[in-house]
Amino acid sequence: MSSYQPAGVRVQGFNKAVRAVRDIGVPASEVKQAGKDSAQVVANEARMLVPVRTGRLRDSIRLSSTLRSVKITAGNNRTTRSGIPYANPIHWGWFRRNIKPQPFFVKALGLTRDQVYNNYYKQLNNLIRKQTAQKDT
């Protein structure tokens, strides 16, 4: 199988920005939710782009988030009936087995990148305005 190479976006100075937002009093849960809401755009796009036979791979696309990161994953490595171990080969390909790559996550990220940035920064700005307005009153 091909080697796993995560795709994603790293924003330089992001941790400092999150720390600054937290320092003015914005609750961690609201910062986390802003990231999750923004990542949902990519997950929705990936669900539309993923190749579908049974729908199990599409239905396995999910989000997990922390204060400083959001991950979108698909499949799992379980060998049980509920397992979907073929997510990686479908996405990245497996040339020894004649499986061509169908990088639905990479495409989804590319198509939605600007929307994700705009959505996330808009939400953070709203949180900052809301918090500073509360402090001023």
Side-chain angles (χ1 to χ4, degrees):
M1 188 167 14
S2 66
S3 63
Y4 171 71
Q5 301 172 6
V9 176
R10 289 200 177 267
V11 178
Q12 192 169 12
F14 179 74
N15 286 337
K16 288 180 183 177
V18 169
R19 198 172 315 119
V21 170
R22 293 283 296 125
D23 286 347
I24 65 167
V26 175
S29 61
E30 291 185 23
V31 176
K32 186 176 172 180
Q33 189 62 46
K36 198 171 185 178
D37 290 347
S38 298
Q40 189 64 51
V41 174
V42 179
N44 291 342
E45 187 70 24
R47 286 184 188 104
M48 291 190 298
L49 296 173
V50 67
V52 176
R53 278 194 186 170
T54 65
R56 289 176 61 211
L57 180 57
R58 178 197 58 224
D59 295 344
S60 75
I61 295 173
R62 61 197 174 278
L63 294 170
S64 62
S65 65
T66 66
L67 183 61
R68 291 181 170 82
S69 72
V70 179
K71 293 181 183 178
I72 306 169
T73 58
N76 58 51
N77 290 325
R78 283 186 247 143
T79 55
T80 61
R81 184 177 170 132
S82 65
I84 307 170
Y86 50 84
N88 236 2
I90 296 297
H91 189 275
W92 298 111
W94 193 353
F95 294 103
R96 288 189 203 157
R97 301 242 174 144
N98 259 350
I99 299 173
K100 294 180 181 175
Q102 299 182 56
F104 54 94
F105 274 136
V106 174
K107 287 180 183 176
L109 182 59
L111 292 170
T112 60
R113 182 172 297 203
D114 289 341
Q115 187 179 356
V116 170
Y117 280 136
N118 292 336
N119 184 7
Y120 188 69
Y121 289 118
K122 182 179 177 182
Q123 286 191 46
L124 283 184
N125 281 330
N126 288 341
L127 290 172
I128 291 167
R129 279 192 207 109
K130 179 179 157 187
Q131 188 63 33
T132 53
Q134 287 176 357
K135 285 187 176 184
D136 289 341
T137 57

